[in-house]
Amino acid sequence: MNFERNIQLIIEYDGSNYCGWQVQKNGVSIQEVLNKAIQKITKEDIYITGSGRTDAGVHALGQSAHFKTQTSIPINKIPFAINSQLPKDIRIQDAIERNIDFHSRYSAVGKIYEYKILNSEHGSALDNNRMYHIRERLDIDKMRQAAKYFLGTHDFTGFSSVHSSVINKVRTIDYSDFDIDGTHIIYTVRGNGFLYNMVRIIIGTLIQVGKGKIDHEDIPMIIGSKERAKAGPTAPAHGLYLQKVLY
Amino acid sequence: MNFERNIQLIIEYDGSNYCGWQVQKNGVSIQEVLNKAIQKITKEDIYITGSGRTDAGVHALGQSAHFKTQTSIPINKIPFAINSQLPKDIRIQDAIERNIDFHSRYSAVGKIYEYKILNSEHGSALDNNRMYHIRERLDIDKMRQAAKYFLGTHDFTGFSSVHSSVINKVRTIDYSDFDIDGTHIIYTVRGNGFLYNMVRIIIGTLIQVGKGKIDHEDIPMIIGSKERAKAGPTAPAHGLYLQKVLY
């Protein structure tokens, strides 16, 4: 019998055709597709654990996950082997041999997300499932100023889904800014953890600032209120990308 | 009865789910979807004419087409009206009122195409239908040098499909170069016209140069031979973008 190995995977996916990361009764999940592909190549009943869920439609450039196995497949062959069993909209980009205690979720010290907005008249055929199209001209300067108020350690109760069951809602954000490239507006946020829907509610609030519906100077008050109703709406899933999980 | 108008459309599309631009017996074409959408909003039996065909899987950022109509819809409302009847993977980006003699094909003086290559180990889930994935490391310097040989006026018989029925195969290319951004290799070519499959055979040949299978200094001889068999294979459709039609 071989030694048990703990293998971390870095995964890119187009979330458009999945019900999200996590196995669910209705719809095909990314986790389920990965489980089946890995079971096929290892011929073991493995189970993959992710760094966290992503919702239906959310994309990932660097989702992180791990699984325990006794397979003898060399580590550098693992991405090729798994990719050969995966649909084209899920790709393993890297496989890393970890010590047995590594856990893709509990060992993580932070995450980076991007949110992509297309601020143009008619939207894009090619980026249709890849960016959130907003016709109304956004005030980027005000959005930039508003984004800065999210930096630091805050209780993000008002920026999480009311369905969230987590008790400690204090999180620290150390990067929160926009990049502009013509009609493309890209928001990047890095933090030590994010509550359910937190990034989508933050960007939903920043979009309201860009539309002039929320004053950027009111952001500290909105955060402080801890009231979900004071923040903006949850922005659509298809603009969101899990960029990287930090360890 | 209203005056006859001649309206040019600038169209973006994701070619992945279509059998190409032109109406065909098997599969849904972009032209057919546009005809139906415009017929619906004008309530006329209009017929849209494109600047040229694109094959199944080929994308466009700026396909150009025109149609004659007596509709009274103001020109600035036309993109919104047509887009409201189109699937999300086809978008009208602009509508321009032209004089009655304008013809999207015969009035064109040139075209710009891009071809996108992803030169990475494992391919991309998100760019799966958007870039041609090549694993083998390409020699970009050699491809750049080879690309220059296509500049000028040449008989491109060897760089067109053997099924092409056009008699005059002389075309002039005035831009032919690569842009590199990490693992993304983008080829841009501008010319006064392109034969059937010509861009895909040119880039297919340049890829052979990048792989070391064709010497870049042999390109003038290959062009001069007018033999299809001497050029490289036809590169896949899904890396190709019709960028702009010039008038």
Side-chain angles (χ1 to χ4, degrees), chain A residues 13-207:
Chain A
Y13 49 81
D14 177 343
S16 308
N17 296 317
Y18 298 95
C19 68
W21 169 264
Q22 196 170 53
V23 173
Q24 283 183 14
K25 276 181 193 163
N26 308 315
V28 179
S29 71
I30 292 148
Q31 191 183 28
E32 174 186 345
V33 172
L34 284 166
N35 276 337
K36 285 184 185 158
I38 303 170
Q39 284 161 7
K40 197 156 180 188
I41 65 143
T42 59
K43 297 179 185 71
E44 298 169 335
D45 189 24
I46 70 93
Y47 185 83
I48 189 166
T49 302
S51 71
R53 307 180 194 179
T54 55
D55 286 339
V58 173
H59 312 296
L61 285 164
Q63 169 68 292
S64 165
H66 73 284
F67 66 98
K68 308 263 173 91
T69 178
Q70 296 185 3
T71 182
S72 59
I73 304 173
I75 192 72
N76 61 330
K77 301 284 182 215
I78 288 202
F80 294 101
I82 303 177
N83 282 336
S84 74
Q85 302 299 325
L86 286 176
K88 296 262 186 190
D89 55 4
I90 306 178
R91 288 290 98 179
I92 308 299
Q93 293 296 353
D94 204 1
I96 303 154
E97 200 93 47
R98 291 291 196 173
N99 75 43
I100 208 73
D101 298 327
F102 173 87
H103 191 286
S104 54
R105 183 171 169 199
Y106 302 127
S107 305
V109 296
K111 280 182 183 169
I112 302 173
Y113 281 96
E114 277 189 7
Y115 195 93
K116 301 192 184 186
I117 296 167
L118 176 63
N119 196 197
S120 77
E121 189 103 26
H122 300 295
S124 163
L126 283 151
D127 287 328
N128 157 41
N129 288 320
R130 306 252 193 295
M131 304 186 91
Y132 175 33
H133 174 229
I134 299 176
R135 185 164 295 135
E136 194 178 340
R137 190 60 53 202
L138 299 173
D139 186 331
I140 309 297
D141 288 338
K142 293 236 168 75
M143 290 168 79
R144 274 221 149 104
Q145 292 175 61
K148 296 294 168 205
Y149 288 117
F150 289 96
L151 291 170
T153 301
H154 306 282
D155 183 325
F156 283 100
T157 300
F159 289 83
S160 70
S161 165
V162 290
H163 304 293
S164 171
S165 59
V166 180
I167 291 163
N168 178 5
K169 296 189 177 177
V170 175
R171 297 290 183 277
T172 300
I173 289 178
D174 65 354
Y175 189 94
S176 169
D177 203 357
F178 286 92
D179 257 323
I180 320 293
D181 180 9
T183 55
H184 294 190
I185 301 173
I186 318 292
Y187 175 64
T188 304
V189 62
R190 184 177 65 201
N192 66 350
F194 293 89
L195 304 167
Y196 184 52
N197 278 355
M198 182 168 146
V199 180
R200 289 168 60 189
I201 301 171
I202 290 177
I203 187 71
T205 305
L206 293 172
I207 289 166

Side-chain angles (χ1 to χ4, degrees), chain A residues 12-14 59-61 79-80 83 88-93 121-126 128 130 135 241, chain B residues 12-14 59-61 79-80 83 88-93 121-126 128 130 135 241:
Chain A
E12 177 185 351
Y13 49 81
D14 177 343
H59 312 296
L61 285 164
F80 294 101
N83 282 336
K88 296 262 186 190
D89 55 4
I90 306 178
R91 288 290 98 179
I92 308 299
Q93 293 296 353
E121 189 103 26
H122 300 295
S124 163
L126 283 151
N128 157 41
R130 306 252 193 295
R135 185 164 295 135
Y241 295 72
Chain B
E12 177 184 350
Y13 48 81
D14 177 342
H59 312 296
L61 284 163
F80 293 103
N83 282 336
K88 298 262 188 190
D89 54 5
I90 306 179
R91 287 289 99 179
I92 308 298
Q93 293 296 353
E121 189 103 27
H122 299 296
S124 163
L126 282 151
N128 156 41
R130 307 254 193 294
R135 184 164 295 134
Y241 294 71

